[in-house]
Amino acid sequence: MDKESIRIPLLENEYWWGGAVSDGVQMPFSGRDHARDLYGDAGYNQASPLLLSSRGRSVWSEAPFRFAFEDGILVVEGQAGTIKIERSGGNLREAFGHASRAYFPPSGTSPDPLFFNVPQYNTWMEMSYGPTQEKVLAYAEAIVANGFPPGILMIDDNWHEDYGTLTFHAGRFPDPKAMVERLHALGFRVLLWVSPFVSPDGEVFRYLYRQGYLLREADGEPVIRKWWNGYSGILDGTNEDALDWFDGQLDRLIGTYGIDGFKLDAGDPQYYKPSDVSARPATPNEQCEAWARLGLRYAFNEYRACWKLAGQPIVQRLSDKNHSWIGDGLASLIPNGLAQGLLGYAFNCPDMVGGGQYEDLIRPDFEVDQELFVRYAQCSALFPMIQFSTAPWRVLDDRHLAYCLEAAQLHCRLGPEIERLVAQSAETGEPIMRHMAYAFPEGGFETVSDQFMLGNDILAAPVLEKGAVSRKVAFPQGTWQGDDGCSVSGPCVVEVEAPLARLPWYRRVQA
C-alpha cells in the first residue's frame, strides 16, 4: 500500500483541532509540537480522521493517518490518494459545517431523549466487579431517598457469567426480572454493560469458534488477546452472522427481563491487530467502527471508544477520569468535551462525577476531595448529559451533598432546552456543547478552553481550580444575564465571584 506525506504550512494565527478526543487537552494545535498516529490508536476514547482549522481549512481521510505539528508545519502521512485538504470558509464553524455535510452527515435521529434531561447513574465506582441484585436495588433506592432524580441506571461489569456469556449470574442476581421491574417502578431505565470479549474454554467460546464468529490467527487458531480484565477471544465485528448472534443475545435480555439498552464498552483499536483474520479484511480501526455501529440498533446505548460514525445517534462518554484537579481529571473535561463536539460526536457525556478511575478508590491513601467532587458535578451539569457513579451521599457531608444535588437539578431544569438542541443537532450535525471559537468565530476565543457554550445562548464557566472563589470569564459581544442575577455587556473579560455554592453560567439576552 503506497503512502504519501503532505506538508501544510500553517497560516498566520491559525489553530487546529481534531484527531483523538483524548488530545483535547492539547488543543488547539498551533505553536507547540504535537503528533498522533490514528492507525490502531484512538487514545481509549473517540477518534476520527479529521482535522479542522480556525481559518476554515480541513483535513479528511476515510483511512486513519498520522499527523504532526512541527515548527509551523502540519505534516499528514497516510494512504496515497485518500487525504483531502480543503478550504471551505474562513473559520472553525464553516470548516466543521463542510466536513460534516461531506463526510459524516447527521442521521436525523438521536439517542433516547431521556439521556439529556435526567442524570445517568453507573454502578462501577460503588460496586466495581461485585454488583449484586441487592446492591443495585439499594443504590437505586438511595438515589431516590436522597432527593436525586431517577434516571438511567447502568449495571456495569460482572453482572453476567463469563465474558461473552450474556446471562445474569444466578448467585449474584437470583431474580433479575423482579429487580428490573422494581427499578422501572422507581423511575429508572436500565442498561447493562457488555463487551466484544469472550472468555476462552467455556461453552459459548467453543460455540462461537465452531461457527467462525471469533477473530483468528493466521494459522486458524482463535485470537486470545490481553485486555484490562485478562485474556479473551474477540467477536469478529465484520461477520454479520456473529453480530446477529450477539444482537440476539441482547434482544433476549430485553425480551426476558425488560432491559432498556446497553453500555457497549471496549472495542478500542488497541485490542485488535492488523494480522487478525476476520470475515472480511479489516484494520483495527474498522473493527472499532463495527463494534460502535452495533449500538445503532438501540436507542439506549453508551460508548467510550469509537472510530468515525460521527453524526450518528450514539452516546459518547469521555474516558475514565482521575479524582484530581489537574492532568486527566477535572481540568480535562471541558477541552476533551469540546473535542468530542468538533469531531462530530455531538451526543457527548462527561465521565462520572468525581472521576471514574476505579484505581483511585482502592489506593490506600485515597480520600475523597469534597470540593473537587462538587466542582466535578457543577462542570458536568451543563454538558448535554451528566453521570454519577460514586454515591454523593456516601462520600459528602450535608453541605457538599446539597451542592451536588443542585447541579443535578439544574441539569434537569434545562432538560427541555437541551432536548431542543439535541433535535437540532440530529438535523444539522452541529455540536451541542460548543467551543467559544465555534459559536463566535470573530471573537478571538480560539485558546479559551475552560468555558463553553451550550448551544448559542448559554455560556458555562465552571470553576476548575482548588480553593478558587472567583474566576475570569470571557464574554462575547452582547448582553449576558448571570445565574446570580447580574448583567454583563460584552465583549469583555470579567472576574466573577464563584464560591463553592455557585456554578457561574450566563444566558444571552436577545435584543
Side-chain angles (χ1 to χ4, degrees):
M1 186 181 300
D2 293 334
K3 299 283 187 179
E4 70 175 328
S5 179
I6 303 173
R7 296 174 64 84
I8 307 168
L10 301 189
L11 304 175
E12 184 178 2
N13 296 322
E14 184 175 30
Y15 299 89
W16 290 79
W17 293 260
V21 163
S22 59
D23 290 339
V25 290
Q26 306 294 329
M27 300 176 199
F29 309 126
S30 183
R32 291 182 299 175
D33 289 355
H34 176 82
R36 164 71 71 175
D37 189 344
L38 294 170
Y39 186 91
D41 185 0
Y44 296 100
N45 221 171
Q46 300 88 31
S48 180
L50 172 69
L51 297 172
L52 299 170
S53 152
S54 63
R55 298 288 298 276
R57 298 201 287 180
S58 63
V59 176
W60 172 266
S61 174
E62 290 295 333
F65 56 78
R66 180 188 182 276
F67 66 94
F69 291 86
E70 302 169 348
D71 299 323
I73 302 289
L74 167 57
V75 181
V76 182
E77 301 171 337
Q79 186 177 336
T82 65
I83 300 170
K84 298 180 181 180
I85 303 165
E86 299 166 299
R87 187 161 191 174
S88 49
N91 57 53
L92 176 61
R93 189 170 199 150
E94 290 168 343
F96 175 89
H98 164 74
S100 173
R101 290 188 297 271
Y103 305 119
F104 45 92
S107 68
T109 58
S110 70
D112 193 280
L114 200 65
F115 275 109
F116 307 97
N117 55 42
V118 294
Q120 302 164 27
Y121 303 91
N122 189 292
T123 63
W124 177 242
M125 294 297 281
E126 286 297 296
M127 304 169 208
S128 60
Y129 294 104
T132 67
Q133 181 168 329
E134 182 181 11
K135 290 179 184 177
V136 169
L137 289 173
Y139 182 55
E141 299 276 4
I143 290 169
V144 176
N146 282 279
F148 282 76
I152 294 171
L153 179 61
M154 302 179 188
I155 304 176
D156 214 279
D157 195 353
N158 220 27
W159 58 270
H160 44 72
E161 295 182 2
D162 288 344
Y163 294 107
T165 305
L166 299 174
T167 303
F168 277 97
H169 189 286
R172 295 192 293 271
F173 292 87
D175 192 349
K177 184 175 178 60
M179 176 189 70
V180 174
E181 289 174 349
R182 176 57 181 160
L183 293 172
H184 284 164
L186 288 169
F188 293 93
R189 294 296 188 99
V190 184
L191 275 63
L192 294 178
W193 180 98
V194 296
S195 80
F197 294 109
V198 182
S199 296
D201 296 332
E203 181 180 349
V204 171
F205 177 88
R206 292 192 295 271
Y207 170 78
L208 296 178
Y209 175 52
R210 288 195 304 269
Q211 296 298 118
Y213 293 171
L214 299 175
L215 291 178
R216 290 162 287 136
E217 303 284 4
D219 62 4
E221 291 301 304
V223 164
I224 303 296
R225 186 71 33 83
K226 183 179 181 180
W227 61 299
W228 69 76
N229 282 337
Y231 293 82
S232 297
I234 310 177
L235 197 73
D236 179 4
T238 72
N239 187 320
E240 288 301 321
D241 290 336
L243 294 180
D244 287 345
W245 172 85
F246 193 88
D247 189 47
Q249 301 302 303
L250 303 189
D251 285 347
R252 174 180 52 79
L253 291 165
I254 292 172
T256 303
Y257 304 112
I259 298 300
D260 298 291
F262 302 94
K263 171 180 175 176
L264 298 106
D265 204 2
D268 304 80
Q270 288 89 333
Y271 297 122
Y272 303 91
K273 292 184 178 180
S275 59
D276 293 340
V277 177
S278 50
R280 61 173 174 79
T283 65
N285 298 66
E286 288 169 330
Q287 286 285 0
C288 177
E289 181 182 354
W291 175 244
R293 196 174 293 278
L294 184 65
L296 296 174
R297 307 183 188 195
Y298 305 95
F300 286 93
N301 65 71
E302 190 212 65
Y303 280 86
R304 171 194 50 76
C306 191
W307 173 250
K308 297 169 68 174
L309 291 191
Q312 297 299 310
I314 298 176
V315 171
Q316 305 282 4
R317 179 178 60 84
L318 286 180
S319 60
D320 298 3
K321 301 301 177 191
N322 295 320
H323 185 74
S324 64
W325 292 90
I326 60 176
D328 198 26
L330 175 62
S332 70
L333 292 188
I334 295 176
N336 288 8
L338 293 171
Q340 287 179 306
L342 290 173
L343 287 173
Y345 300 115
F347 310 120
N348 64 315
C349 180
D351 188 35
M352 306 160 188
V353 170
Q357 279 287 8
Y358 166 67
E359 288 80 3
D360 284 348
L361 275 184
I362 60 176
R363 287 201 328 258
D365 61 338
F366 180 74
E367 183 176 345
V368 170
D369 182 333
Q370 297 197 50
E371 178 190 358
L372 173 63
F373 201 98
V374 170
R375 293 303 195 189
Y376 247 105
Q378 292 173 341
C379 185
S380 302
L382 295 178
F383 269 65
M385 309 179 207
I386 183 172
Q387 184 173 130
F388 290 91
S389 187
T390 300
W393 51 89
R394 182 177 63 81
V395 299
L396 303 179
D397 60 30
D398 289 346
R399 180 171 71 95
H400 292 85
L401 177 60
Y403 297 152
C404 276
L405 180 56
E406 288 175 9
Q409 291 171 335
L410 171 62
H411 184 84
C412 292
R413 289 200 304 275
L414 292 175
E417 192 164 348
I418 298 173
E419 272 196 58
R420 289 193 291 272
L421 292 171
V422 168
Q424 179 189 74
S425 180
E427 296 298 329
T428 68
E430 287 194 281
I432 301 167
M433 175 184 178
R434 299 175 183 175
H435 199 290
M436 300 294 296
Y438 180 97
F440 301 95
E442 309 305 321
F445 296 113
E446 285 79 8
T447 61
V448 176
S449 59
D450 63 349
Q451 60 184 65
F452 62 92
M453 298 297 300
L454 182 63
N456 284 331
D457 296 323
I458 292 179
L459 190 162
V463 173
L464 307 174
E465 296 181 4
K466 185 173 178 61
V469 293
S470 66
R471 64 153 293 167
K472 290 182 179 179
V473 181
F475 290 93
Q477 187 171 358
T479 301
W480 299 86
Q481 190 73 34
D483 61 289
D484 60 351
C486 73
S487 181
V488 178
S489 295
C492 61
V493 177
V494 177
E495 184 90 17
V496 304
E497 293 185 0
L500 189 57
R502 184 186 181 203
L503 161 61
W505 66 281
Y506 299 81
R507 185 182 295 278
R508 179 159 56 173
V509 179
Q510 300 296 335

